[in-house]
């Protein structure tokens, strides 16, 4: 902490592995292009150098150049922040209302009333994986969608796909 500056909660980037594994011989060979900044909101020490962390996604980014000389145990890269566009504003509220209804129906089917549906269309468009069981590829498609309208349309498609299951509304 630098004297005279406010203490800020830790923020770090999260990006999904495209090829490889987190650790071991078959470690990360390729990452997805788009990730998300994560604001650390809660930490619990589990022991043995293990932690339980809860984060809140903030801004999306596209990975630029990987810094292989950073000298950290973590992948370090230059990132380019992605603007958050709405798309067709006249369609966004209608799509948000439809998606909110679909996600609420999923919650009723599964008996899960958490999380509460976000009010804003943009936040709602990012909340689909909290309600619907999705493979990584579909979660990544949502993250990479260029605007709120596209994310809402994709969220509706993903919520409709498949039949209800105990761990989510759609079975991929």
């Amino acid at each position: 902490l630098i004297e005279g500056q406010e203490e800020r909660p830790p923020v770090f980037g999260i990006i999904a592995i495209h090829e490889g594994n987190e650790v071991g011989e078959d470690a990360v060979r390729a990452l997805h292009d788009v990730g998300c900044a994560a604001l650390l909101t809660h930490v619990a020490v589990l022991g043995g150098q293990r932690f339980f962390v809860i984060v809140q996604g903030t801004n999306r980014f596209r990975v630029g150049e990987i810094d292989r000389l950073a000298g950290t145990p973590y992948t370090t890269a230059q990132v380019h922040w992605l603007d958050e566009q709405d798309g067709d504003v006249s369609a966004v509220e209608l799509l948000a209302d439809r998606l909110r209804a679909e996600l609420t129906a999923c919650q009723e089917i599964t008996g899960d009333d958490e999380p509460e549906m976000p009010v804003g269309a943009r936040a709602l468009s990012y909340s689909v994986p909290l309600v619907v069981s999705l493979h990584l590829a579909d979660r990544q498609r949502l993250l990479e969608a260029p605007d709120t309208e596209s994310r809402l349309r994709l969220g509706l498609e993903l919520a409709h796909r498949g039949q209800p299951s105990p761990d989510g509304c759609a079975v991929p």
Side-chain angles (χ1 to χ4, degrees):
L1 184 64
I2 298 173
E3 191 173 324
Q5 287 189 346
E6 263 185 57
E7 184 175 343
R8 291 185 221 158
V11 175
F12 57 95
I14 295 178
I15 190 155
I17 297 170
H18 187 61
E19 290 180 31
N21 297 301
E22 211 171 307
V23 296
E25 288 181 26
D26 196 24
V28 177
R29 293 188 307 275
L31 296 170
H32 282 278
D33 293 332
V34 176
C36 183
L39 172 67
L40 187 61
T41 60
H42 295 87
V43 177
V45 178
L46 301 176
Q49 295 186 345
R50 295 179 320 138
F51 299 88
F52 177 78
V53 299
I54 298 176
V55 299
Q56 177 181 347
T58 59
N59 302 24
R60 298 177 311 138
F61 60 81
R62 183 169 304 281
V63 175
E65 185 176 338
I66 304 261
D67 183 353
R68 303 206 187 282
L69 302 174
T72 70
Y74 307 102
T75 300
T76 304
Q78 292 292 320
V79 299
H80 307 283
W81 298 106
L82 300 175
D83 289 333
E84 287 290 336
Q85 303 295 321
D86 288 327
D88 180 355
V89 178
S90 62
V92 166
E93 285 308 314
L94 175 64
L95 290 166
D97 289 344
R98 288 179 50 205
L99 181 58
R100 188 173 291 105
E102 286 292 326
L103 296 178
T104 300
C106 288
Q107 287 178 316
E108 289 171 4
I109 289 169
T110 61
D112 182 14
D113 58 357
E114 293 291 328
E116 187 174 313
M117 290 298 121
V119 175
R122 182 174 295 153
L124 180 68
S125 73
Y126 283 112
S127 69
V128 175
L130 300 175
V131 178
V132 180
S133 179
L134 299 175
H135 285 297
L136 174 61
D138 289 327
R139 290 189 310 238
Q140 190 68 34
R141 285 175 53 207
L142 280 166
L143 186 63
E144 292 180 7
D147 54 51
T148 301
E149 177 191 359
S150 301
R151 219 171 4 268
L152 290 168
R153 289 185 189 284
L154 179 56
L156 278 165
E157 175 189 319
L158 295 170
H160 283 135
R161 187 183 67 198
Q163 298 297 314
S165 73
D167 64 345
C169 194
V171 176

